[in-house]
Amino acid sequence: MRVVYSCGVGDRNPIELPGAMMGLIRHDRADRLEARLHDYFVVSPSYCLLNADGAYRGPVLRDNPDPAHRQRRPDGGFVPLTNWQSAWEGFLVRCDEITVFSESSRQHLLAVYPGLSANIVYRPHSTVAQITRVRQAAHGSATLAVLGNLSRQKGAGVLCDLAERVARDGGPKLALIGNIDPAFSLPPTVRLHGSYRPADIPHLAERYGVGAWLVPSIWPETFSFATHEMLATGLPVYGFDIGAQGEALRRAPNGIPIPFDPDGDHAAAVLAMIAARGPWSVTQDISIPRLDKAAE
């Protein structure tokens, strides 16, 4: 039997998951136990590693006192972070293989569980949609667009702040090709497209006159399909230099990583980087590197 842990977010009492999965393994058989790191639930109940104030401040170690990193039990009691990480470490140590989809995820995992190095396999996703190059809109009329569905950790607040700043002080036109968490109020100046198919991205980029993309995510993504899809269009892609998205931006010739300050003004940082770059450079002829061979 092969038991593969993928995601436990939303479980009613997730502190019981590690033991439950280990209990499925029969020691007299050639059973396998595996894990795939699609988020950081094995590190903290705050599976995007955000603190209670919504900020990401690096790997979450056992002595982190922030209340976001403790689990509330169904009976109202709390599981402290030390107990949480001890339970998941016992499970991860037993895994025959732990798949990470970025080097950033490997480093986040090892910061908390340094003994897992031999168990971790780097295997980036190879199923990124085939995206054709996009003709860049003229700088004077170009739009700065965000691709994907936005939640708190995905940068919904960043886009709202950016829109308010642009409406007040001037700046690029903005568009969201995707949806936004209804908890956030997106200003009407942002063109909202809604749901889309990955194959339609080049067409939509031309329809909205995209001159550059923005990855507003404020958590360390474990892979970020949207970042890879934006990069594949050949247009400039701005984003914060954290997680797998920062890793992808640093590797790509059209990636523009923005220094990340958890306590800084994210919207101002985006606009400052755009201003520092000057007119958006046309990137039609650049060659986007393929994912590592391990992905194939």
Side-chain angles (χ1 to χ4, degrees):
M1 183 166 61
R2 181 183 180 211
V3 178
V4 183
Y5 169 75
S6 184
C7 179
V9 176
D11 186 86
R12 186 167 180 268
N13 194 16
I15 191 64
E16 297 178 347
L17 283 175
M21 289 183 289
M22 287 189 289
L24 296 173
I25 296 300
R26 301 163 298 181
H27 299 286
D28 60 337
R29 307 287 182 91
D31 290 348
R32 283 181 61 84
L33 192 59
E34 300 177 17
R36 297 174 182 172
L37 207 68
H38 295 292
D39 52 52
Y40 293 105
F41 203 49
V42 300
V43 170
S44 167
S46 179
Y47 61 94
C48 295
L49 302 185
L50 301 185
N51 286 348
D53 62 357
Y56 161 71
R57 293 188 170 83
V60 176
L61 307 182
R62 289 178 193 255
D63 59 354
N64 191 313
D66 192 274
H69 305 298
R70 60 180 184 176
Q71 178 220 335
R72 181 186 289 274
R73 288 184 178 273
D75 63 7
F78 286 95
V79 176
L81 181 62
T82 52
N83 293 28
W84 178 274
Q85 292 189 348
S86 292
W88 282 101
E89 183 175 30
F91 163 73
L92 293 170
V93 167
R94 289 283 304 280
C95 284
D96 297 281
E97 181 177 293
I98 303 168
T99 298
V100 297
F101 306 102
S102 65
E103 285 295 343
S104 172
S105 288
R106 183 202 299 271
Q107 296 308 316
H108 274 84
L109 199 59
L110 290 177
V112 182
Y113 308 121
L116 297 179
S117 181
N119 304 58
I120 298 175
V121 177
Y122 170 49
R123 189 177 289 116
H125 294 289
S126 59
T127 55
V128 177
Q130 295 299 309
I131 307 295
T132 58
R133 295 289 195 274
V134 174
R135 179 178 302 174
Q136 189 177 44
H139 175 62
S141 61
T143 294
L144 178 66
V146 176
L147 182 69
N149 297 324
L150 298 189
S151 56
R152 182 191 195 191
Q153 65 267 20
K154 289 282 190 177
V158 175
L159 181 58
C160 290
D161 291 346
L162 184 62
E164 292 177 359
R165 185 73 56 89
V166 167
R168 184 181 70 239
D169 303 329
K173 292 186 294 185
L174 300 172
L176 171 58
I177 300 176
N179 299 290
I180 191 166
D181 185 333
F184 292 84
S185 180
L186 192 65
T189 52
V190 181
R191 288 176 291 176
L192 177 63
H193 178 79
S195 301
Y196 63 94
R197 297 182 306 166
D200 292 335
I201 291 172
H203 165 71
L204 293 172
E206 294 189 356
R207 172 180 169 183
Y208 286 99
V210 177
W213 299 100
L214 171 65
V215 184
S217 235
I218 57 171
W219 78 288
E221 305 248 13
T222 55
F223 181 73
S224 184
F225 281 95
T227 298
H228 287 276
E229 290 164 352
M230 286 184 268
L231 288 169
T233 67
L235 298 176
V237 183
Y238 293 83
F240 296 114
D241 194 6
I242 53 173
Q245 68 271 41
E247 185 178 307
L249 293 171
R250 290 193 304 272
R251 289 178 175 177
N254 57 327
I256 307 168
I258 302 171
F260 181 76
D261 178 357
D263 300 307
D265 185 332
H266 300 319
V270 171
L271 292 173
M273 181 61 76
I274 291 175
R277 295 272 304 184
W280 294 333
S281 301
V282 177
T283 54
Q284 297 302 304
D285 298 327
I286 65 173
S287 175
I288 305 299
R290 290 175 58 83
L291 295 176
D292 290 357
K293 193 70 175 177
E296 299 180 356

